[in-house]
């Protein structure tokens, strides 16, 4: 029995010219997921398409850019999309559930665990949860941004075995095969570092009706493989390929999972939280964290950006501006402005009270 998360993009669910639902493709997807469920697997579907369906329903000719209009259109489309899914799954006697998430559902640890428990109970009941971002109420600073990221976070949360990112190309290429005829296909990515060495060109633009692009799928793969989830990019037009891939056929691009996944709590810190500030380190501190697994001390901090309080999440950057880690801070931004670059033994004298030695303890720090 495997736990499978399938993310289907707007380009695979809708007709490119009209934005109307591609009913035959959706029906094949429903049949495939219902078959997997009957075989004993546990299945979660992360589905885009609400905004596109809403646009078609309202006669809009392009995806809205204004967030208030987009939220209104999503409210129109989400109900229609779920109606289509429910009709098709009900024909096959497969129960489903709608799960709408916002980033704030993952920010608080208690909420994060509650979402996990909800998914666990639904899967135990033999239900296929259908997940989407709650566009109707999500505020810009607390949005997932795209369903590729959402699907990876869901796969990480439930510790899935597989994440399938269904898109409009059959696999990852060295460049966009639609505009570069000699682009090279990539079958397996053993590590994200290896992918960087391949110098893959990724476009950030999704389809006319969607928000993603190959760059968001690679970012999603990075999140998922860190949780030990095998991730596959494959073509959304052929949902039956999911079963073929699980049976060993060499289809799509496989991102191999890390052999030693990071802990659930550290995954929450790295990907569930929204960072409130940035800490820039000198070279010695950056190396100590990246290579030595050390805690972050005040002496290694050269610059503090943003306003944050104790125990909020921050991004940790090297001198060149590359994010190397994320973590929960033991001091506020105002305190760090006073003690950055100073030795730990000086903290109590500078702040007027005895503080902890570390700015970010290694137990609360995750390399990214």
């Amino acid at each position: 029995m495997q736990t499978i998360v399938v993310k289907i993009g707007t380009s695979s669910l809708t007709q490119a010219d009209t934005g109307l639902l591609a009913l035959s493709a959706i029906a094949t997807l429903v049949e495939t997921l219902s078959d997997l469920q009957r075989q004993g697997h546990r299945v979660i579907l992360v589905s885009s398409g609400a905004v596109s369906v809403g646009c078609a329903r309202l006669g809009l000719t392009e995806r809205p850019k204004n967030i208030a209009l987009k939220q209104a259109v999503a409210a129109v489309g989400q109900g229609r999309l779920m109606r289509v899914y429910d009709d098709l799954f009900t024909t096959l006697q497969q129960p489903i559930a709608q799960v709408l998430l916002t980033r704030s559902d993952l920010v608080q640890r208690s909420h994060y665990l509650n979402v996990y428990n909800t998914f666990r109970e639904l899967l135990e009941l033999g239900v296929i949860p259908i997940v989407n971002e709650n566009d109707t109420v999500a505020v810009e600073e607390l949005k997932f941004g795209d369903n590729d990221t959402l699907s990876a976070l869901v796969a990480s949360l439930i510790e899935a075995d597989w994440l399938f990112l269904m898109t409009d190309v059959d696999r990852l290429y060295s460049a966009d095969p639609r505009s570069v005829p000699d682009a090279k296909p990539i079958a397996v990515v053993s590590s994200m570092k290896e992918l960087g060495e391949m110098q893959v060109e990724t476009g950030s633009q999704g389809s006319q009706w969607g928000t993603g692009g190959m760059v968001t799928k690679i970012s999603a793969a990075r999140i998922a493989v860190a949780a030990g989830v095998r991730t596959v990019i494959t073509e959304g037009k052929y949902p039956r390929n999911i079963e073929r891939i699980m049976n060993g056929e060499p289809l799509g691009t496989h991102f191999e999972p890390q052999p030693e996944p990071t802990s659930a709590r550290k995954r929450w810190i790295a990907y569930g939280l929204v960072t409130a500030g940035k800490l820039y380190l000198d070279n010695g501190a950056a190396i100590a964290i990246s290579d030595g697994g050390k805690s972050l001390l005040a002496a290694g901090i050269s610059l503090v950006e943003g306003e944050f309080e104790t125990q909020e999440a921050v991004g940790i950057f090297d001198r060149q501006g590359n994010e190397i880690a994320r973590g929960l801070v033991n001091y506020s931004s105002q305190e760090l402005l006073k003690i950055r670059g100073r030795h730990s033994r000086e903290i109590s004298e500078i702040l007027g009270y005895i503080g902890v030695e570390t700015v970010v303890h290694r137990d609360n720090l995750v390399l990214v």
Side-chain angles (χ1 to χ4, degrees):
M1 182 172 64
Q2 305 273 288
T3 301
I4 305 159
V5 176
V6 177
K7 184 268 176 178
I8 190 80
T10 300
S11 63
S12 302
L13 291 171
T14 58
Q15 302 171 32
D17 52 346
T18 64
L20 296 171
L21 288 172
L23 293 176
S24 60
I26 297 173
T28 304
L29 174 68
V30 167
E31 288 179 344
T32 301
L33 300 187
S34 297
D35 287 348
L36 289 169
Q37 187 79 19
R38 278 193 292 273
Q39 292 167 24
H41 302 302
R42 294 176 293 193
V43 180
I44 293 176
L45 173 63
V46 179
S47 176
S48 302
V51 174
S52 176
V53 172
C55 286
R57 191 84 169 191
L58 297 171
L60 302 180
T61 56
E62 62 179 18
R63 187 183 181 89
K65 297 178 175 60
N66 176 282
I67 188 168
L69 177 58
K70 179 186 171 186
Q71 289 176 320
V73 170
V76 172
Q78 187 64 38
R80 177 60 183 158
L81 182 62
M82 284 303 299
R83 169 67 187 272
V84 171
Y85 276 130
D86 191 50
D87 286 346
L88 292 171
F89 275 109
T90 298
T91 301
L92 299 175
Q93 299 183 329
Q94 172 58 53
I96 62 172
Q98 182 180 38
V99 180
L100 297 176
L101 296 175
T102 64
R103 195 64 181 255
S104 58
D105 294 317
L106 303 184
V107 168
Q108 292 188 36
R109 183 69 174 160
S110 59
H111 291 188
Y112 183 88
L113 294 173
N114 188 54
V115 172
Y116 167 79
N117 289 331
T118 299
F119 277 122
R120 184 181 64 183
E121 291 298 329
L122 287 171
L123 296 175
E124 287 293 323
L125 290 168
V127 173
I128 294 180
I130 300 181
V131 185
N132 197 0
E133 180 162 16
N134 196 348
D135 286 313
T136 304
V137 300
V139 294
E140 192 63 33
E141 61 269 22
L142 282 177
K143 286 180 67 63
F144 294 105
D146 59 85
N147 275 349
D148 294 320
T149 300
L150 173 58
S151 67
L153 290 170
V154 169
S156 171
L157 171 71
I158 65 169
E159 298 180 337
D161 299 288
W162 293 86
L163 169 61
F164 290 93
L165 300 173
M166 313 292 284
T167 185
D168 52 3
V169 292
D170 63 339
R171 63 181 61 196
L172 178 64
Y173 287 81
S174 58
D176 189 338
R178 294 167 294 191
S179 55
V180 183
D182 60 348
K184 304 269 190 306
I186 299 171
V188 178
V189 178
S190 299
S191 71
M192 301 312 293
K193 182 179 179 181
E194 174 188 283
L195 184 64
E197 293 169 351
M198 293 178 185
Q199 297 182 326
V200 175
E201 296 178 20
T202 55
S204 60
Q205 183 61 46
S207 67
Q208 176 188 359
W209 301 103
T211 58
M214 196 56 72
V215 68
T216 65
K217 289 165 182 59
I218 292 173
S219 296
R222 180 176 288 109
I223 294 171
V225 298
V229 182
R230 176 172 289 274
T231 302
V232 183
I233 293 175
T234 189
E235 197 161 11
K237 287 194 300 185
Y238 305 108
R240 290 291 182 188
N241 284 351
I242 294 173
E243 291 183 84
R244 295 171 65 189
I245 290 167
M246 291 179 66
N247 289 328
E249 291 193 39
L251 301 170
T253 298
H254 290 241
F255 294 80
E256 295 185 348
Q258 283 185 191
E260 296 182 9
T262 52
S263 68
R265 186 172 186 278
K266 287 202 171 185
R267 295 199 303 273
W268 169 69
I269 292 173
Y271 304 114
L273 298 179
V274 178
T275 56
K278 299 178 179 180
L279 304 180
Y280 290 86
L281 312 186
D282 61 32
N283 290 337
I287 292 171
I289 286 176
S290 297
D291 300 336
K294 303 292 186 182
S295 298
L296 175 60
L297 305 179
I301 301 173
S302 55
L303 181 64
V304 178
E305 283 188 4
E307 295 185 6
F308 47 86
E309 298 300 325
T310 303
Q311 293 305 303
E312 286 200 281
V314 297
I316 300 171
F317 295 77
D318 63 19
R319 185 170 285 178
Q320 289 72 42
N322 303 307
E323 187 175 17
I324 58 174
R326 292 185 180 182
L328 303 178
V329 287
N330 292 324
Y331 292 97
S332 69
S333 54
Q334 293 300 314
E335 292 168 326
L336 286 179
L337 287 171
K338 298 175 183 177
I339 64 174
R340 65 181 177 89
R342 308 296 288 269
H343 196 280
S344 298
R345 62 173 174 267
E346 301 176 82
I347 292 177
S348 58
E349 183 179 342
I350 295 170
L351 297 181
Y353 60 85
I354 298 175
V356 296
E357 181 180 357
T358 59
V359 172
V360 180
H361 192 275
R362 63 185 181 187
D363 291 344
N364 293 324
L365 187 150
V366 191
L367 296 178
V368 297

